[in-house]
Amino acid sequence: MSLTKKIAVLPGDGVGPEVINPAIRVLDAVAQKYGYHFEFKFGSIGADAIEKFGTPLTDATLADCINSDAVLLGAVGHPKYDKDPTLPVRPEMGLLKIRKELGLFASIRPVITYSSLYHLSPVKSNLLEHVDIVIFRELTGGIYFGEKKHDAEFESASDQSIYTAKEITAIARVAFEYAAKRKRKITLVDKANILETSRLWRKVVTALAASYPSAELNFMYADNAAMQLIVNPAQFDVILTDNLFGDILSDEASVLSGSLGLLPSASIGTGPALFEPIHGAYSQTAGRDTANPIGTILAVAMMMEYFEFIEAAADIREAVQWAIQNSFVSKDLDPVNFYFTSTIGELICDYITGKTDHAVNKGNIQIRKSTII
Ligand code: IPM
Ligand code: MG
């Protein structure tokens, strides 16, 4: 196993760069500890790339990603484009392009809860115990990539949703294999009462389930799943779903953990995989060093697992647990006594490299807390 890995880094827009910085420091920390060698190649994506090159993802950046072992991405999106839906070139196109070009058909989005953050979830604490869900979201098909049309006056519009059995099989296989290492329960979320594509999903996934006899497959309509995630989230193990439902349900599920800022994702396909937090650019707070770096740092842990750098992944996860348990958290989790994005990154790195007493000396760390309040 090679200890050298090429990582394409695309900080992107909004809070993207400020969550990528601590993630790079964490990569440096595990590299130092375990003798890995990470070669970073930085590139632009999203509104940042539109500003610089007139396109949300240049061919050169895409080539760097294709030639890497993994891609680390911050966020894309800018309010300027949200305000004008008619703009033909949009930051999100960069993300969709990279997903499509790298063939990243499966987005893996784990959701866990932390007892010290139960109070931040709008869901009652007793429902948050034992929540451990992984959403498998199909990422390169469906309504995201179907033909988009509108008439000359923009008075009518349509988005087509197409799935093939091949596409469904590809993601379903990943989900079944992953479920085998967990509680083996897979819930296919769809709208098979309404949508033809959903009926195809049910047919294909049911047939595939025969190859995974130990898996327990069940079906749930997306509207019910949205409700069940709030009223009884612990019932889920692996959720398998299409691109749009997966997008919506993963944001919804994030409130179980306490903040959208805590959730990482790994998007895998045929070539290099891509790792990113699931939160967006959140431009209104960009540049203040207040974003939550944990989603991105946990995305790095997923990257380490992908490289089979298991010790590094375990170290990162332990450091994150430690930071959260000891309330070294960002403003979204504690609007009064919060720590800055960069400080949380430093604390996590110090924990990993052993510079921090693992039994925590909060008195010393206190000094690095926010002084805004
Ligand atoms: C996500 C994001 C993206 C999506 C946006 C930024 C294009 O919301 O990764 O969930 O809709 O897929
Ligand atoms: Mg989303």
Side-chain angles (χ1 to χ4, degrees), residues 76 92 95-96 99 109 137 139 144 243 247 250-251 276 278:
V76 298
E92 290 79 7
L95 188 53
L96 297 192
R99 287 173 177 171
R109 303 184 163 197
R137 166 187 175 193
L139 203 59
Y144 269 62
N243 205 342
D247 178 47
S250 56
D251 268 31
E276 57 176 327
I278 81 155

Side-chain angles (χ1 to χ4, degrees), residues 75-307:
V76 298
H78 192 283
K80 180 170 123 189
Y81 301 87
D82 296 335
K83 280 182 203 127
D84 184 356
T86 61
L87 286 173
V89 180
R90 313 182 58 77
E92 290 79 7
M93 288 171 174
L95 188 53
L96 297 192
K97 183 170 170 189
I98 200 168
R99 287 173 177 171
K100 196 68 172 179
E101 296 287 332
L102 293 183
L104 304 171
F105 61 85
S107 177
I108 306 171
R109 303 184 163 197
V111 183
I112 54 169
T113 51
Y114 303 85
S115 53
S116 63
L117 302 181
Y118 282 177
H119 65 286
L120 292 172
S121 174
V123 174
K124 291 197 185 82
S125 301
N126 62 317
L127 299 175
L128 298 172
E129 283 165 28
H130 313 298
V131 167
D132 181 358
I133 307 170
V134 184
I135 299 174
F136 282 79
R137 166 187 175 193
E138 198 291 324
L139 203 59
T140 47
I143 202 162
Y144 269 62
F145 289 93
E147 192 186 356
K148 299 179 187 309
K149 286 198 273 193
H150 61 78
D151 66 3
E153 298 79 36
F154 215 151
E155 289 293 328
S156 86
S158 65
D159 296 275
Q160 194 180 29
S161 178
I162 301 188
Y163 270 111
T164 63
K166 201 173 156 211
E167 288 170 320
I168 298 166
T169 305
I171 171 124
R173 258 189 213 293
V174 181
F176 275 111
E177 263 148 41
Y178 198 91
K181 296 180 217 140
R182 297 174 48 93
K183 288 179 241 151
R184 301 197 186 88
K185 182 175 171 188
I186 297 200
T187 306
L188 174 62
V189 172
D190 61 28
K191 276 295 281 182
N193 50 345
I194 304 294
L195 303 176
E196 206 60 33
T197 46
S198 290
R199 290 190 271 270
L200 178 65
W201 273 78
R202 283 206 185 193
K203 176 183 155 232
V204 172
V205 174
T206 304
L208 191 68
S211 321
Y212 299 90
S214 68
E216 180 205 320
L217 173 65
N218 50 76
F219 308 98
M220 198 180 275
Y221 295 142
D223 47 352
N224 185 26
M227 182 177 74
Q228 294 298 328
L229 270 173
I230 301 300
V231 298
N232 182 12
Q235 72 183 284
F236 294 105
D237 177 24
V238 169
I239 290 178
L240 169 61
T241 192
D242 76 5
N243 205 342
L244 183 62
F245 296 143
D247 178 47
I248 297 166
L249 295 179
S250 56
D251 268 31
E252 187 194 358
S254 76
V255 307
L256 300 169
S257 66
S259 169
L260 183 61
L262 292 165
L263 261 64
S265 74
S267 304
I268 64 160
T270 40
L274 181 146
F275 300 84
E276 57 176 327
I278 81 155
H279 64 73
Y282 210 56
S283 303
Q284 56 276 40
T285 67
R288 294 195 196 145
D289 201 19
T290 53
N292 192 339
I294 300 295
T296 319
I297 291 174
L298 288 175
V300 166
M302 295 181 87
M303 184 191 284
M304 295 302 100
E305 276 148 9
Y306 172 73
F307 289 158

